Amino acid sequence: MHYEGTIIRPPSEADSVLLQVTVGCSHNKCTFCGTYKGERFRIKDDATIDADIRYAAGNLSFLHRVFLVDGDALIIPQDRLVRIMRRIREEMPWIRRVGLYGNAKSILRKTPEQLAELRELGLGIVYQGLESGDEQVLREINKGVSLDRMIQSARRVREAGIKLSVMAILGLAGRERSLVHARATGEALTAMDPNYVGVLTLMVLPNTELYARIQRGEFELLSSREMLEELREILRHTTMTRGLFFANHASNYLPLKVRMPGEKERALKTIDDALQGGIHLRPEWMRGL
């Protein structure tokens, strides 16, 4: 496989064929993210993608899912993305689902009909980074999109019959707007009503603008207890008609997997028990990206 640069994927795609169709991220301006710094975004050429599909078909037939990397494969123009999806289906007919990252801009550039076409070709899930439901935080992290468009794009994915997984980040507002961020994020997740929610904990990388803000004393990191309080507030304000609420990323202090809505109250009690010291948190040395 012809991999270039940093390759990332959601935890749930650990057992997927990782097919790199783009290099970098089409936005690449978020202040907290250092994954693709210095990497110019581009779509890989068809010959390289085709070679990787053939390699996967010949060597990875025990895997039944494909994940298209890097940061925003949905930004690929429709005709080229359709071609990739068709090649996957032709060479690997046993593949049950294709997944990818999609931001609000790339989702809204696709018409409902185009998303439906991708669904028919095997696109089964889109992972979208909300990060925060607080408009001020979205501006401060340079997300490049309003909350309203974030919600619009989420609904477009769902209406196309494609599963949606939405990510949010604990601690992203710092100490000053911590609970405002948490409440607004829960309300935004309710409006988006995804199939899955994935809550991560902020891990600051030295090559980011956010790291520089911390060094200048302009941003206060939260303690582990404050992160738990944010998690509780997000969950308390999140209403999902169905689906799973995860906080089991390696960065999190308290791993949670909550089937919504039935297990919500039990999960809130678990967080309360942890806040009262009845449950041990994941030690710092075990946390990571």
Side-chain angles (χ1 to χ4, degrees):
M1 304 287 278
H2 300 85
Y3 294 125
E4 298 180 44
T6 301
I7 305 296
I8 62 171
R9 48 98 181 139
S12 56
E13 299 289 346
D15 295 322
S16 299
V17 175
L18 301 182
L19 177 64
Q20 189 177 30
V21 294
T22 66
V23 177
C25 172
S26 63
H27 181 59
N28 203 20
K29 296 176 182 177
C30 293
T31 62
F32 65 89
C33 181
T35 306
Y36 303 113
K37 293 302 181 190
E39 192 77 69
R40 185 181 178 88
F41 177 78
R42 61 184 172 83
I43 302 169
K44 297 182 80 170
D45 63 271
D46 291 339
T48 301
I49 295 171
D50 286 349
D52 283 349
I53 291 173
R54 288 194 299 271
Y55 178 87
N59 297 274
L60 302 174
S61 59
F62 57 92
L63 299 176
H64 297 96
R65 293 179 176 178
V66 171
F67 185 74
L68 303 181
V69 294
D70 275 336
D72 182 24
L74 195 60
I75 201 74
I76 296 174
Q78 184 72 4
D79 57 345
R80 291 194 67 186
L81 190 51
V82 164
R83 181 188 182 279
I84 292 168
M85 298 291 290
R86 284 178 175 158
R87 293 289 294 133
I88 292 171
R89 174 163 287 186
E90 290 165 2
E91 296 285 344
M92 295 184 282
W94 62 86
I95 291 297
R96 298 171 188 162
R97 188 183 82 182
V98 177
L100 47 67
Y101 288 119
N103 61 30
K105 177 182 177 181
S106 65
I107 293 169
L108 293 175
R109 286 179 65 172
K110 303 292 186 191
T111 66
E113 293 76 19
Q114 288 176 326
L115 287 173
E117 181 182 25
L118 295 173
R119 182 202 67 221
E120 291 298 318
L121 290 170
L123 180 60
I125 189 167
V126 172
Y127 296 84
Q128 182 179 7
L130 168 66
E131 329 306 2
S132 175
D134 181 5
E135 290 277 18
Q136 180 172 322
V137 173
L138 291 176
R139 289 193 296 271
E140 288 176 353
I141 65 173
N142 199 20
K143 185 66 179 177
V145 65
S146 69
L147 177 60
D148 182 61
R149 285 180 64 79
M150 203 90 75
I151 293 170
Q152 285 180 41
S153 60
R155 290 175 175 171
R156 183 168 294 186
V157 171
R158 298 290 291 114
E159 289 165 1
I162 300 169
K163 289 184 178 180
L164 177 68
S165 181
V166 177
M167 292 156 285
I169 303 178
L170 299 174
L172 196 57
R175 182 164 284 125
E176 185 178 343
R177 291 184 68 83
S178 172
L179 295 184
V180 174
H181 153 69
R183 284 191 291 272
T185 300
E187 291 165 359
L189 291 170
T190 298
M192 298 168 93
D193 196 23
N195 302 90
Y196 308 100
V197 168
V199 178
L200 293 69
T201 299
L202 179 66
M203 303 287 283
V204 182
L205 299 176
N207 65 337
T208 61
E209 185 179 331
L210 181 57
Y211 179 84
R213 288 190 62 201
I214 293 170
Q215 297 301 108
R216 295 193 299 265
E218 299 171 0
F219 186 96
E220 289 186 272
L221 290 171
L222 271 60
S223 66
S224 59
R225 179 181 181 84
E226 289 167 325
M227 293 288 192
L228 279 186
E229 290 171 346
E230 266 199 16
L231 176 60
R232 190 188 194 286
E233 196 75 355
I234 289 175
L235 180 57
R236 187 166 75 89
H237 285 85
T238 299
T239 301
M240 296 164 64
T241 56
R242 68 274 171 270
L244 294 170
F245 182 106
F246 292 102
N248 59 354
H249 187 265
S251 62
N252 292 342
Y253 287 101
L254 179 67
L256 284 180
K257 178 181 177 181
V258 188
R259 188 169 296 279
M260 299 285 275
E263 296 177 357
K264 177 175 174 177
E265 293 306 317
R266 185 189 305 173
L268 289 171
K269 185 181 183 306
T270 298
I271 299 172
D272 288 338
D273 289 345
L275 286 168
Q276 293 165 15
I279 297 176
H280 293 298
L281 302 183
R282 180 178 281 156
E284 291 292 343
W285 66 268
M286 288 186 65
R287 298 174 61 240
L289 289 173

